[in-house]
Amino acid sequence: MFSNLKRVFTLTLLASAASVSFAAPAPVSDLGNRTQRISTPSSTSGETDVARLERLLENRNRMQLQMQKQLDDMTLDLNELRGQIERNNYDMQQMLQRQRELFVELDNLRREAKRPATAEAVNSGNNDDIPLGTFSRDADEQAAYQSAVDLILKERDYAGAINAFQQFQKDYPDSSFAANAHYWLGQLYFAQRKDPEAVKSFAAVISYPDSNKRADALVKLGDLAARNNNAAQSKKYYQQVIDEYPNSASAKVAKDNLKP
């Protein structure tokens, strides 16, 4: 009887162990499946966010590069515009300076032209002998010269003044105003930047050793040489003015131009 009880007890234990062995894996499998089902979407979502961030960063970097390139291009354009403005301002200042110099010279020459005309009028006792107005090749020497001067000072007709002085030189090649006429033309050509013609006119002035415009013509020849990047020739003309006319206003201008 004792053996039978022992056998029953043994079988009961075996049945219980079997029940535990068959029942235990199910929760483990279910928990594993649940864990897998829960963890898998989280891993996939994390990878998608990283890729999206990388695309956003790449797009932002691309836009920054484009904006930087546009900014560089705009800066370059702005620098070019500033340079052009500076060049235009410099050219404008140079033009205004040449105009001021021209008007000063023209005023001086006009006063010089009026002095002999006034003396002639006093001697003749008739001021009506000094006609003014537009240029006419049929007028006398003094009137023709004065008419050419008036085209500049009164009419501001510089092209007409050039034609008038050229005609005056043809009509009166031996005039006492010949040197001044050449100087007028030189100044007009100089203001218009017609440098070859200006050089020719000023060179004609210095061929008159007694002309009171000779020193000024030498300075202008020096200016023309400097403007055309001929420093040696420019220095030569300036030094000639200083040597030949040491106490003149032209010599002072030449000294200033020789300063580094």
Side-chain angles (χ1 to χ4, degrees):
M1 180 177 177
F2 178 76
S3 61
N4 289 333
L5 291 172
K6 183 178 180 180
R7 184 177 180 182
V8 171
F9 182 75
T10 303
L11 291 173
T12 302
L13 290 174
L14 291 172
S16 299
S19 175
V20 171
S21 64
F22 283 111
V28 173
S29 177
D30 291 339
L31 290 173
N33 290 337
R34 289 193 188 97
T35 304
Q36 185 177 3
R37 286 196 298 271
I38 294 172
S39 62
T40 300
S42 176
S43 175
T44 303
S45 176
E47 292 176 356
T48 301
D49 290 341
V50 170
R52 186 160 59 98
L53 287 174
E54 289 178 349
R55 286 196 301 273
L56 291 174
L57 289 173
E58 184 179 356
N59 291 336
R60 188 189 69 174
N61 292 336
R62 187 181 301 110
M63 292 180 63
Q64 287 179 341
L65 290 175
Q66 291 176 351
M67 293 177 65
Q68 184 63 44
K69 184 177 183 302
Q70 292 176 354
L71 181 61
D72 292 339
D73 292 340
M74 292 174 65
T75 301
L76 181 60
D77 293 340
L78 181 60
N79 290 334
E80 291 179 354
L81 288 173
R82 286 176 176 171
Q84 185 63 43
I85 290 172
E86 290 177 357
R87 287 193 295 271
N88 290 340
N89 288 337
Y90 176 79
D91 292 340
M92 179 66 70
Q93 292 298 324
Q94 291 294 309
M95 182 183 69
L96 292 175
Q97 180 62 30
R98 290 195 297 271
Q99 287 182 344
R100 285 193 292 267
E101 292 175 355
L102 177 60
F103 288 142
V104 169
E105 294 296 337
L106 296 181
D107 189 55
N108 291 337
L109 288 172
R110 185 182 185 186
R111 287 197 297 266
E112 293 174 4
K114 282 186 174 181
R115 280 198 291 268
T118 302
E120 182 181 353
V122 170
N123 293 332
S124 64
N126 185 3
N127 291 333
D128 295 334
D129 292 339
I130 313 172
L132 298 174
T134 58
F135 173 78
S136 173
R137 69 176 59 189
D138 296 328
D140 60 17
E141 177 182 341
Q142 173 60 43
Y145 181 80
Q146 188 61 53
S147 296
V149 172
D150 287 342
L151 283 176
I152 300 173
L153 299 181
K154 293 183 178 181
E155 303 296 332
R156 300 292 191 266
D157 183 4
Y158 303 134
I162 289 176
N163 293 331
F165 279 112
Q166 288 174 342
Q167 188 61 49
F168 177 84
Q169 290 173 337
K170 292 178 181 178
D171 294 340
Y172 306 98
D174 300 323
S175 172
S176 60
F177 297 115
N180 281 5
H182 284 297
Y183 189 81
W184 278 98
L185 283 172
Q187 286 283 47
L188 290 165
Y189 289 136
F190 184 88
Q192 294 180 357
R193 300 187 72 87
K194 295 181 179 180
D195 291 356
E197 291 86 348
V199 168
K200 183 178 179 181
S201 295
F202 288 127
V205 176
I206 67 174
S207 66
Y208 294 87
D210 298 330
S211 172
N212 60 355
K213 303 307 297 179
R214 187 172 183 274
D216 293 337
L218 287 169
V219 171
K220 288 299 181 182
L221 286 171
D223 294 342
L224 286 164
R227 189 158 76 182
N228 288 276
N229 301 317
N230 192 341
Q233 188 67 30
S234 176
K235 182 177 179 180
K236 178 182 176 182
Y237 282 123
Y238 292 147
Q239 192 60 49
Q240 185 176 354
V241 177
I242 296 171
D243 293 339
E244 296 184 12
Y245 305 93
N247 299 321
S248 65
S250 298
K252 184 180 183 304
V253 173
K255 290 177 181 177
D256 292 338
N257 291 340
L258 283 174
K259 292 179 181 178

